[in-house]
Amino acid sequence: METSFLAYLRGRCRTLPEVEVGIGDDAAVLAPVQGRQVICADQIIDGVDFDTAGQSLPDIGFKAMAINLSDIAAMGAVPDAAFVTLALPKGDATQTAGAVYEGILESAARHQVSIAGGDLSVYDGPLSINITMTGHVAAGEPWLRSGACEGDAIVVSGAFGGSILGRHLRPTSRLSLAATLRRLVDVHAAIDASDGLSLDLDRMLAASRVGAELDIDQIPIHDDAHRQSEQSGRTAFEHAWSDGEDFELIMTMSADDAQKALDDPEIGKDLRRIGTVVGRTGLWKRDKGSLKRLSPQGYLHG
């Protein structure tokens, strides 16, 4: 299977200049990058992160790529190459691999990412997809979770909640938005919202040893959260606060830079300021003149 499938992949994969030697050799050869190199990896497994019984294989492949692209965006970086490892269940392994790769290649093509290598194996277990991605920051520093400063504005992209209704399989990777922000403002800290808006926000602030005073009425709630609320009995806000798999960006920057970003005609419509970084750790909101602590919630991976 592996020899014939690799021949198929070589015919389907785009040739991009950052990959000097790609699929077909014992290892890939990548051209040196300008600036800082950024590398991330993510694995998703059937029954844990997706369900092959109810979801299409191309959608699952698309998600596997998109979640890595989201991590690259959260670093303020540009993606270059991906290495894809598939552990395939016995049975229709070749057909499964081909269908998964349809989504992987679609996502990669959207963002000029080259599939530079990886591995295939067949075993008596569930479908598992592991993708390692390289990227770079040509000038300046990568965005980290640890750079938030007291007084910073907290800015998010997109809207939150209800992604389980389908958005989680084909999320929008915020690479273009990140690139524009890097040119326009100085982002102090960033993280992507994969496990829940409040949980990931709390992680970023904890890494920076600060907290947040939130204007919860400004948190953008996705229409899917309202639809999900009709089925779940939970409020749309609760879904936005904790559902996860929105893959939006959570960032901090100076108040002046936040206003500049919000006023920008190209990206302002995709951004919302939801609070301010404070020296007191934890998440807080003002309630009748006093501060009330909020509990971060989301999905904790085992």
Side-chain angles (χ1 to χ4, degrees):
M1 170 200 169
E2 186 170 0
T3 300
S4 60
F5 194 77
L6 290 180
Y8 154 81
L9 279 182
R10 281 195 295 271
R12 292 293 309 277
C13 289
R14 302 167 63 117
T15 300
L16 296 172
E18 56 266 20
V19 180
E20 295 180 352
V21 177
I23 292 172
D25 264 272
D26 290 326
V29 179
L30 304 184
V33 300
Q34 272 191 322
R36 301 294 184 88
Q37 187 166 50
V38 175
I39 302 172
C40 65
D42 226 314
Q43 181 180 40
I44 57 175
I45 302 172
D46 192 8
V48 179
D49 305 288
F50 59 86
D51 178 13
T52 52
Q55 297 163 354
S56 79
L57 292 173
D59 281 351
I60 292 164
F62 188 100
K63 176 180 180 177
M65 277 291 291
I67 60 179
N68 281 275
L69 291 165
S70 184
D71 285 336
I72 295 290
M75 302 295 288
V78 176
D80 293 321
F83 298 82
V84 180
T85 295
L86 301 183
L88 301 158
K90 290 179 181 177
D92 297 330
T94 301
Q95 291 83 352
T96 298
V100 168
Y101 254 101
E102 288 301 316
I104 288 173
L105 293 170
E106 179 187 348
S107 182
R110 288 189 185 186
H111 299 285
Q112 295 289 295
V113 176
S114 179
I115 308 299
D119 194 24
L120 296 168
S121 62
V122 178
Y123 77 130
D124 187 15
L127 173 63
S128 171
I129 308 169
N130 183 292
I131 295 181
T132 297
M133 186 172 292
T134 68
H136 72 278
V137 176
E141 298 294 326
W143 299 343
L144 305 179
R145 300 180 183 186
S146 55
C149 304
E150 189 172 356
D152 276 0
I154 300 168
V155 177
V156 298
S157 67
F160 297 83
S163 66
I164 192 64
L165 296 184
R167 231 168 59 247
H168 68 301
L169 288 171
R170 287 184 169 261
T172 299
S173 302
R174 292 294 190 175
L175 290 159
S176 177
L177 175 66
T180 301
L181 282 167
R182 182 171 278 282
R183 293 193 299 269
L184 189 67
V185 300
D186 180 15
V187 172
H188 295 163
I191 190 172
D192 76 322
S194 56
D195 293 335
L197 167 61
S198 61
L199 185 59
D200 288 315
L201 172 59
D202 190 61
R203 286 170 173 163
M204 180 182 69
L205 296 171
S208 298
R209 299 182 180 181
V210 290
E213 184 176 323
L214 298 173
D215 183 351
I216 62 172
D217 291 335
Q218 289 301 311
I219 291 175
I221 300 174
H222 199 281
D223 289 344
D224 287 345
H226 292 283
R227 286 193 284 270
Q228 184 73 356
S229 178
E230 294 171 0
Q231 306 169 20
S232 69
R234 300 168 63 212
T235 67
F237 173 79
E238 287 173 325
H239 283 291
W241 184 250
S242 63
D243 273 3
E245 299 216 308
D246 294 297
F247 300 107
E248 296 290 351
L249 298 181
I250 308 170
M251 301 163 287
T252 78
M253 60 192 75
S254 72
D256 287 345
D257 272 352
Q259 196 58 54
K260 185 188 297 185
L262 291 166
D263 290 342
D264 186 80
E266 181 182 352
I267 60 171
K269 66 183 185 305
D270 293 323
L271 299 172
R272 184 82 63 87
R273 178 175 179 173
I274 65 167
T276 302
V277 176
V278 296
R280 181 191 305 106
T281 58
L283 305 180
W284 304 84
K285 71 169 183 176
R286 290 219 169 261
D287 185 19
K288 298 178 181 177
S290 62
L291 285 173
K292 179 181 178 181
R293 187 152 192 169
L294 301 169
S295 174
Q297 298 170 8
Y299 180 73
L300 292 168
H301 292 275

